[in-house]
């Protein structure tokens, strides 16, 4: 198992955003997380990728504990060197691309492998060009983000995450900032990665995509996992009333 999150708790200003969440992700598995706005989906991803700290529970990557609840009831994280290793296991693709506007596309992708992983410029650039080719935008290496469409920028963001060679890739609503035509471009890339058995956790509101690509679907609401299982069950025949209610919106 690549990731285990057990009994995860997180609050902001006294408001519980995650309440005792537990789930795991196996190697090569694609897990889609669905649910209404404010259900805790993005916070869960930010905790999994160490952009937010948990208040309780444990985070385990590749069998090693990155975070656990200490004797005082508060979360204790591994030391700096170990955390560097844990961070290298995961990549995150944001809704809003988060590319550096003053860097070329090539530099956006090569910056972290060179600075963080110590790769040579030649090796990083060769890998970046391969990834751009895979994303269908190999001719954009010298362009700048403002010269690209939203769909192209999101594909650069995916290439940038893949350049770090993570064990698991997280997507936080990767198509929510895109119009329908550009959405298809990005979903096609994610489906291609799924076919290649890339381990992924995708927060999405694209139900047909979740049904087609996921091995498992998790429905979250109010900071808890309401229901999880195979796409055909959760999306096709949900057992929980709250899940049924949520999915009715997409049938209109």
């Amino acid at each position: 198992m690549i990731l285990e999150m057990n009994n995860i708790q997180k609050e902001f200003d006294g408001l519980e955003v995650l309440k005792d969440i537990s789930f795991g992700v196996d190697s090569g598995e694609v897990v889609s997380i669905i649910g209404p706005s404010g259900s805790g989906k993005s916070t869960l991803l930010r905790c999994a990728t160490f952009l937010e700290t948990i208040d309780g529970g444990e985070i385990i990557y590749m069998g090693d504990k990155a975070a656990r609840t200490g004797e005082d009831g508060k979360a204790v994280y591994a030391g700096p060197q170990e955390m560097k290793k844990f961070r290298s296991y995961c990549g995150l693709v944001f809704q809003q691309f988060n590319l550096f506007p003053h860097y070329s596309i090539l530099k956006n992708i090569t910056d972290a492998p060179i600075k963080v992983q110590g790769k040579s410029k030649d090796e990083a650039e060769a890998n970046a060009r391969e990834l751009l080719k895979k994303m269908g935008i190999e001719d954009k290496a010298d362009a700048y983000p403002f010269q690209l469409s939203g769909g192209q920028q999101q594909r650069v963001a995916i290439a940038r995450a893949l350049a770090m060679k993570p064990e698991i890739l997280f997507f936080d609503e990767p198509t929510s900032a895109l119009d329908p035509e550009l959405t298809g471009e990005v979903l096609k890339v994610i489906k291609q990665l799924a076919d290649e058995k890339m381990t992924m956790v995708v927060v999405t509101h694209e139900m047909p995509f979740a049904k087609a690509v996921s091995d498992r679907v998790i429905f979250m609401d109010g900071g808890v996992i309401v229901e999880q299982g195979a796409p055909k069950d959760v999306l096709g025949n949900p057992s929980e009333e709250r899940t049924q209610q949520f999915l009715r919106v997409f049938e209109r």
Side-chain angles (χ1 to χ4, degrees):
M1 186 163 289
I2 288 188
L3 169 67
E4 289 176 72
M5 297 185 80
N6 300 321
N7 312 112
I8 300 296
Q9 295 161 349
K10 176 67 181 174
E11 62 174 56
F12 293 109
D13 300 325
L15 177 70
E16 270 192 299
V17 181
L18 300 176
K19 309 168 188 175
D20 198 27
I21 293 253
S22 297
F23 79 106
V25 186
D26 280 322
S27 178
E29 190 178 22
V30 179
V31 178
S32 286
I33 303 179
I34 62 170
S37 296
S39 58
K41 308 183 300 292
S42 293
T43 301
L44 183 63
L45 256 57
R46 290 177 71 83
C47 288
T49 53
F50 310 113
L51 293 176
E52 296 281 359
T53 53
I54 58 171
D55 295 321
E58 59 181 16
I59 301 174
I60 302 169
Y61 270 102
M62 315 291 282
D64 294 324
K65 279 187 190 176
R68 60 182 174 80
T69 305
E71 288 175 14
D72 61 356
K74 293 180 179 173
V76 179
Y77 279 78
Q81 274 307 108
E82 276 193 289
M83 285 309 297
K84 190 177 176 185
K85 176 188 73 176
F86 288 124
R87 285 192 178 94
S88 75
Y89 290 149
C90 54
L92 176 60
V93 178
F94 301 88
Q95 293 180 24
Q96 298 293 345
F97 327 135
N98 285 21
L99 300 176
F100 295 114
H102 55 296
Y103 283 0
S104 70
I105 297 310
L106 193 65
K107 189 165 167 56
N108 261 286
I109 298 171
T110 59
D111 195 54
I114 292 169
K115 287 183 180 171
V116 178
Q117 295 180 328
K119 296 267 171 69
S120 72
K121 189 181 176 191
D122 287 349
E123 185 187 355
E125 287 193 355
N127 186 42
R129 289 183 191 281
E130 274 299 308
L131 287 167
L132 285 172
K133 188 175 180 182
K134 187 174 185 172
M135 299 294 135
I137 44 174
E138 61 266 43
D139 58 332
K140 302 296 183 186
D142 299 324
Y144 284 81
F146 77 90
Q147 296 171 303
L148 273 58
S149 70
Q152 289 170 333
Q153 288 188 59
Q154 191 61 296
R155 282 182 278 163
V156 173
I158 295 170
R160 181 178 60 181
L162 289 171
M164 299 295 282
K165 298 191 171 10
E167 296 290 338
I168 181 170
L169 199 49
F170 296 88
F171 293 86
D172 188 5
E173 303 225 7
T175 59
S176 66
L178 305 174
D179 66 37
E181 192 176 347
L182 299 179
T183 291
E185 294 176 7
V186 173
L187 295 181
K188 186 178 172 187
V189 167
I190 300 173
K191 185 174 188 318
Q192 182 187 344
L193 293 174
D195 292 342
E196 294 168 7
K197 293 296 174 196
M198 179 79 203
T199 310
M200 294 185 284
V201 176
V202 187
V203 169
T204 184
H205 55 270
E206 300 286 341
M207 298 304 143
F209 168 78
K211 196 169 188 175
V213 172
S214 313
D215 296 298
R216 186 154 43 100
V217 174
I218 293 173
F219 172 65
M220 279 181 70
D221 189 29
V224 299
I225 291 175
V226 175
E227 186 168 355
Q228 65 174 310
K232 65 179 175 58
D233 298 326
V234 177
L235 298 174
N237 189 25
S239 58
E240 297 293 329
E241 170 59 34
R242 183 64 190 96
T243 318
Q244 294 167 17
Q245 195 183 347
F246 172 75
L247 290 170
R248 271 185 216 118
V249 176
F250 295 91
E251 292 168 3
R252 289 170 193 164

